[in-house]
Amino acid sequence: MSARLLLVGPLADPAMMAALGLEPAGAAITLPGRLSGGARAGIARDGWPGWDREAQGQVVAQPVEASDGLRRYAEIMDLQPVQAPQGRVMGAVPGARPEDGAFQRDLAARVAADLLARDPDQPAETIRARLPMIAWWAASRLRAAAERGEALPPGPRDQDRLRIESRREPYGQYFSVESLRLTHRLHQGGWSEPLERAVFVSGDAVVVLPWDPARDRVLLVDQFRAGPAARGDGQPWIYEPVAGRIDAGETPESTALREAVEEAGLTLSRLIPAPAFYPTPGIAAEFIYGFIGIADLPDGVATVTGLPSEGEDIRGQLVSRDELMRMVLDGRIVSGPLMILALWLNRMADELKRGLAPG
């Protein structure tokens, strides 16, 4: 990579340049043509915009001096410079691409910073293969900062109450484990001794319980689960709500609607937020958004569904709300998220029905 490059599109965004440690090396110039697409630039390997050099228009390009950080980032992203009369252009691929929405600058910048913080000896292709998972985790951390960033009870009220000294990833595949070295304020005052904590990282998820208020019944999903199997549970098929990971760039609500179609073949008419929670906060960073999904659930709606590409084999099961509560109380429901949604729905059902009634 030559010393001077012209950055275009999302790669020239100030937030991206800051994440990559880049400074302008002169005034911006214009190039002929037009950029298209690029909503997932910096999030997915193939998310960069297209540059149609023959199209009417101008493309703003920011000169920079190539750095080791930019070289490493481009290698991981498999992003190659495009030769032009004005110089080597980076941040777009040749040709036009379909328009696909707005560039997600905060998420892309968080992913860029995460990539540069990783072990420089780790092969770029290994990191590249994990980009979807890295982006899930980056999006989860952004949501946590936006939704739960205030120093509220419980815990010490000081804004300065947690200091993470180091963060390593001793294991990283589809999911990962992060090893944190940290100190935190104590309830009686002062600071803890440095602590080493390992955390299972999987990104945020949603659970949604489809409910038909008119028939007062719900749809459960029945599927094999590796966790109970690893524990030696003789019944590794369990009843659960519809569930799924929140892809980078999705919202909890859009994920809930998508997963209802994929896992249960249902189009939900409305989502009602239910409690959100950490299922096992002592060892896992997973945060789950809960919903009740309003659905029409006639006889015969429960089928076998799931995405074969993800190894899913899911059977739907219709049960009345009363039967669901009996299943919770007699131990037939062992999924914590389903218990939470079932208990919350049972407590709120009458109020929800009044709110859903016409007029």
Side-chain angles (χ1 to χ4, degrees):
M1 188 183 296
S2 63
R4 188 171 185 269
L5 287 167
L6 300 173
L7 304 188
V8 297
L11 195 57
D13 184 278
M16 287 291 288
M17 290 182 57
L20 295 170
L22 298 172
E23 296 284 346
I29 65 172
T30 58
L31 307 176
R34 179 177 179 271
L35 296 181
S36 55
R40 294 183 60 77
I43 300 169
R45 174 185 179 181
D46 61 353
W48 298 96
W51 178 24
D52 184 350
R53 297 163 68 174
E54 305 301 322
Q56 292 293 322
Q58 292 182 328
V59 174
V60 177
Q62 176 59 61
V64 299
E65 295 296 329
S67 65
D68 290 342
L70 180 58
R71 292 186 184 94
R72 174 66 166 167
Y73 180 77
E75 184 183 18
I76 293 171
M77 281 287 175
D78 196 22
L79 186 59
Q80 304 296 324
V82 177
Q83 187 64 53
Q86 298 83 356
R88 293 167 65 82
V89 180
M90 179 171 282
V93 297
R97 285 197 161 177
E99 295 296 346
D100 55 358
F103 168 56
Q104 301 172 69
R105 61 180 302 185
D106 291 342
L107 178 54
R110 175 60 69 93
V111 171
D114 183 290
L115 295 180
L116 294 192
R118 291 175 178 270
D119 182 355
D121 293 329
Q122 190 172 19
E125 58 270 21
T126 300
I127 301 175
R128 188 184 308 132
R130 296 190 58 234
L131 271 174
M133 289 67 78
I134 292 168
W136 287 347
W137 184 220
S140 297
R141 292 169 69 181
L142 286 175
R143 274 190 296 272
E147 298 172 359
R148 299 180 58 82
E150 296 183 65
L152 301 173
R157 291 179 177 271
D158 309 77
Q159 287 293 337
D160 177 23
R161 57 182 183 169
L162 171 65
R163 297 172 182 171
I164 297 179
E165 299 175 1
S166 66
R167 186 190 298 264
R168 297 183 298 106
E169 187 186 57
Y171 172 83
Q173 292 295 330
Y174 187 80
F175 299 123
S176 68
V177 173
E178 285 197 353
S179 178
L180 306 180
R181 181 178 173 84
L182 59 87
T183 60
H184 63 80
R185 287 194 182 272
L186 300 171
H187 287 296
Q188 70 268 29
W191 286 85
S192 72
E193 293 297 318
L195 304 172
E196 298 279 351
R197 293 290 184 266
V199 178
F200 178 77
V201 172
S202 61
D204 293 347
V206 303
V207 291
V208 54
L209 181 60
W211 176 48
D212 184 333
R215 298 179 178 90
D216 205 11
R217 62 184 180 185
V218 301
L219 186 139
L220 310 180
V221 297
D222 166 4
Q223 62 180 321
F224 171 82
R225 284 309 201 189
R231 180 173 175 260
D233 194 322
Q235 183 52 277
W237 279 262
I238 64 174
Y239 286 122
E240 294 182 292
V242 169
R245 302 282 161 205
I246 304 173
D247 287 342
E250 282 191 317
T251 64
E253 292 79 7
S254 64
T255 303
L257 295 173
R258 173 177 58 79
E259 290 290 349
V261 173
E262 291 178 2
E263 289 200 351
L266 294 176
T267 299
L268 304 178
S269 62
R270 180 174 173 182
L271 287 172
I272 298 172
F277 53 94
Y278 289 100
T280 50
I283 60 172
E286 182 182 50
F287 188 73
I288 297 180
Y289 294 83
F291 297 96
I292 302 298
I294 304 305
D296 183 30
L297 300 177
D299 292 345
V301 73
T303 60
V304 175
T305 57
L307 297 178
S309 61
E310 297 184 6
E312 293 179 336
D313 175 42
I314 301 169
R315 183 180 65 182
Q317 178 71 43
L318 290 173
V319 300
S320 69
R321 181 165 57 89
D322 286 344
E323 176 62 14
L324 176 61
M325 287 309 300
R326 285 191 288 271
M327 295 168 72
V328 168
L329 296 175
D330 67 21
R332 283 178 286 165
I333 300 300
V334 294
S335 161
L338 180 53
M339 286 187 197
I340 290 171
L341 290 177
L343 292 167
W344 189 84
L345 174 60
N346 199 56
R347 172 64 178 81
M348 299 295 294
D350 290 342
E351 182 176 333
L352 293 177
K353 285 180 181 180
R354 288 193 295 270
L356 294 169

